[in-house]
Amino acid sequence: MTGEVLITAENVGKRFPLRQGVLHRLSGQPAPAVHALNGVSLEIRRGETLGIVGESGCGKSTLARCLVRLHDCDAGRIVFEGQDIALLQGKVRRAFNRRVQMIFQDPYSSLNPRMKVRGILGEALGVHKMRPAAGIPGRIEELLALVRLNPDAADRYPHEFSGGQRQRIGIARALAVEPEVLVADELVSALDVSVQAQVVNLLLDLQERLHLTVVFVAHDLRLVRHISHRVAVMYLGKVVEIGPTEALFSAPRHPYTRALLDAAPELDPARRSRKVAARGELPSPINLPQGCLFHTRCPHAFDRCRTERPELSPRGTGHLAACHLADFGKPETRT
Amino acid sequence: MTQAPALEVRNLTTTFAGGRLTAVNDVSFTVLPGEVLGLVGESGSGKSVTLRSIMRLLPASGAVSGHVRWQGRDILTMSDADLRGVRGGQISMIFQEPMTALNPVLPVFTQIEENLKAHTDLDRAARAARARDLMDLVGIPDAARRLKEYPHQFSGGMRQRVMIAIALAGNPTLLLADEPTTALDVTIQDQILKLILDLRDELSMSVVLVTHDLGVVAATCDRIAVMYAGRIVETGTVRDVFAQPAHAYTRGLLGSVPHAGTERSMLLSIEGTPPPLDRIPAGCAFNPRCDFATGPCRARVPVLEDLAPGRSVACFNRTAVTAAGSPV
Ligand SMILES: Nc1ncnc2c1ncn2[C@@H]1O[C@H](COP(=O)(O)OP(=O)(O)OP(=O)(O)O)[C@@H](O)[C@H]1O
Ligand SMILES: Nc1ncnc2c1ncn2[C@@H]1O[C@H](COP(=O)(O)OP(=O)(O)OP(=O)(O)O)[C@@H](O)[C@H]1O
Ligand code: SF4
Ligand code: SF4
Ligand SMILES: [Mg+2]
Ligand SMILES: [Mg+2]
């Protein structure tokens, strides 16, 4: 995967202010907030699937929403084809909204229950004037075929479909506007394993045929490994490691990635371990730890980790990690 | 395998809606002392109803038949007073969503103490000491302070630990765990599963672990029972079933899970979805989704047959399925 860079996140920050009491406001201390993103930097290349993993609350969905401009970031910026997306206006902004599509985690709540599938897809086609009115029925049929639903699906309501089928309707709606980038947030997390596999296969197939760029946000490491060319690992609103899937999974260079991989149960009963992979829990995103965000749980933490926050630095071809231990997990030096 | 089972479930059948819907259909299995049995299957396959039927925890609309043998007695027919002695005592249950099982208005100590009162004859001081021990055992630091707190003051992972502490209060010899880690992050899931294994070793408990995650089974269970549409379709040691699935559904499930070395290739998916209870297909319930289906599959229900001691399967074409090999 050597596509050109399509989207860049540069030091993106996002806070959600908390309601504060009068006493706090009078105290002159900084207003309390959830620090959801704390300087996220990454690149998304044309035609690739970039997986984003991390534990609940680490900011995956917030980042996904910033990428499609459902949230405005309050620090840093997101650049699409050389332009800061916060500054896009008028025609260019509408074009951006069409070219970068988000598919939501919950197909139940994101589809209008009172609209038939024909109406849902027709609306998407209409908003961006994708087809003259006469071409719409034909296009709806094409879209349904693309996501492997029968043509008669057009005349049914969302509740008449199974979870996997509803997820496909969501994908068809996103594809209606012929996007270049799909941002999929926990696309298959709510589905049964056998149905997950159907949707994953569909996504792989569509990406090939339509040359889509995909941002695949999920907490399931196995799925992300299966589908991604590159993977970014997030912790407390920061990317702590990013690199080619194979390199990152076979030789993780950040202690948190290592812990995540060790904690994920393997499908091979012969490879069991009774050792606990990571101690402790995620600290509160309201009061972030000083220094390295992971130091409260890191078995390798030392003095510097408690005061100085490490930034992403190179570990190999296209592989970056944010840890003061530059040699951590280095293939030759591992014991 | 001559050891007497700790729990023996025979022909367990559970229906709803006046018998029109069969959620659990003629289910039989055993759990040996100190064994961890994984009960797996997709949503709606009957895993939770099976556990709740064993503990007689179903709503009044559910009708249960069959036998659940526990220490020479049948739980399904014992008196309510005897049942109260067993439930939460020798047999404990933990649930997927701890907030629904914990009482939000009582401090954690009171909830542990209730179980200690019901199932031990410890006095007040001993109960307080035992509650602190239990919190230590399940890895909750600062036990004395945290015992005074309410469930909402605990994180998801800590709440699950509290549930386990309550479950352990009656010194159970069997733990029924219904998706105890499904809502948790992998690092916390890993902590909880390893805690359950440690407790199994220390207290020589048997465990029935309900999950839909085959990875969890591979990493923690001794034996596996696979459910589909209310029936057990295959059982065996985890090693045997993963190495050589003999039921087409088990094989399909294993193939649906991505595994290392097959990146960005098509997964062996199963077409269609599990059937709702009012539309379970005739014959083998899996036949409309099955690549191996033949005539008999549409006509008759395959019975669970023993292949070897502790290894059984309900599939007419198990030779063909076995020959197709394991996808993992
Ligand atoms: N609209 C909002 N208002 C306030 N806080 C929010 C909002 N959206 C997200 N947060 C907080 O920001 C943090 C990051 O949330 P986010 O949803 O991005 O995490 P996530 O990685 O997607 O988690 P999950 O795996 O559970 O989906 C969390 O602490 C969350 O509670
Ligand atoms: N009280 C009830 N009344 C009617 N049907 C019920 C009742 N409880 C459960 N069922 C049905 O019984 C079937 C089995 O449900 P069960 O909860 O055991 O599934 P499960 O295997 O635990 O699924 P999940 O993985 O989603 O938890 C489902 O079809 C469910 O709708
Ligand atoms: S910087 Fe220090 S605390 Fe952070 S991951 Fe590296 S070793 Fe651990
Ligand atoms: S009995 Fe027939 S339909 Fe059922 S799993 Fe076996 S081959 Fe498939
Ligand atoms: Mg999310
Ligand atoms: Mg259940």
Side-chain angles (χ1 to χ4, degrees), chain B residues 4-64:
Chain B
L7 177 78
E8 184 178 8
V9 175
R10 282 284 153 248
N11 311 110
L12 187 74
T13 297
T14 305
T15 60
F16 293 105
R20 276 182 294 116
L21 303 175
T22 306
V24 173
N25 202 336
D26 201 19
V27 158
S28 300
F29 62 89
T30 57
V31 192
L32 297 177
E35 179 177 65
V36 183
L37 173 73
L39 192 58
V40 299
E42 293 178 287
S43 188
S45 58
K47 307 180 296 294
S48 299
V49 172
T50 299
L51 285 201
R52 288 175 172 276
S53 302
I54 290 172
M55 287 272 67
R56 288 168 56 184
L57 281 172
L58 285 176
S61 61
V64 184

Side-chain angles (χ1 to χ4, degrees), chain A residues 193-197, chain B residues 251-258 267-270 327:
Chain A
V193 241
S194 69
V195 185
Q196 270 188 358
Chain B
R251 183 172 182 275
L253 264 191
L254 285 167
S256 296
V257 185
L267 296 167
L268 172 77
S269 69
I270 308 173

Side-chain angles (χ1 to χ4, degrees), chain B residues 43-45 228-229 272-281 285-286 288-289:
Chain B
S43 188
S45 58
Y228 189 78
T273 49
L277 288 190
D278 56 353
R279 259 168 286 157
I280 293 184
F286 186 58
R289 305 178 70 195

Side-chain angles (χ1 to χ4, degrees), chain A residues 55 194 198 227 272 278 281, chain B residues 42 155 187 191 221 264 270:
Chain A
E55 290 174 288
S194 69
Q198 296 165 11
I227 205 168
R272 287 186 185 185
E281 301 190 4
Chain B
E42 293 178 287
S155 68
T187 59
Q191 293 169 7
C221 299
R264 292 193 57 82
I270 308 173

